[in-house]
Amino acid sequence: MRTITKILVLISLLLPVQLLAGEIFGSIMEGDISVGEGVKVEIISPNKTTYTDTTDKNGAYRIFLKEKGKCIITIQYKGQTPSGELFSYDRSLRYDWVLEAKEGKYSLRRK
């Protein structure tokens, strides 16, 4: 039993920190209504790696990031690309967003 424990500890110490980053998930709404299915969501990590997903029928997205730190999220919606900031950690985090239109231009804010 001690041998297994030592091996597991050794493996965990050898894993790169990047493998320990977490998942970002949530929903995207336009006002009080879901954006629906097929809206492209991009997250750019601190290392400039781009991760993408598309929303499901409820406007939900789920992206696993390998890096931790400050990221940029961009939503491609109705020909526009509003963006916001988020942080990736070593655990799952929920980020719900609201698209707001003002004078025909969308902005993204956290719900």
Side-chain angles (χ1 to χ4, degrees), residues 22-62:
E23 160 189 61
I24 304 293
F25 69 98
S27 63
I28 304 167
M29 310 284 282
E30 182 181 1
D32 294 331
I33 301 169
S34 163
V35 294
E37 188 172 10
V39 174
K40 187 174 181 181
V41 179
E42 292 183 348
I43 296 178
I44 300 174
S45 71
N47 295 339
K48 304 298 183 208
T49 303
T50 301
Y51 299 89
T52 61
D53 190 25
T54 55
T55 56
D56 66 12
K57 66 180 180 178
N58 299 313
Y61 68 95
R62 183 175 306 272

Side-chain angles (χ1 to χ4, degrees), residues 2 4 6 14 20 30 36-37 42 46 48 52 59 64-65 71 75 80 83-84 87-88 94-96 100 104 106-107:
R2 289 182 186 204
I4 293 173
K6 288 179 183 177
L14 295 175
L20 301 176
E30 182 181 1
E37 188 172 10
E42 292 183 348
K48 304 298 183 208
T52 61
F64 182 82
L65 278 72
C71 304
I75 312 298
Q80 297 184 34
S83 61
F87 290 87
S88 172
R94 181 178 191 114
Y95 280 91
D96 293 323
E100 297 177 325
Y106 283 102
S107 62

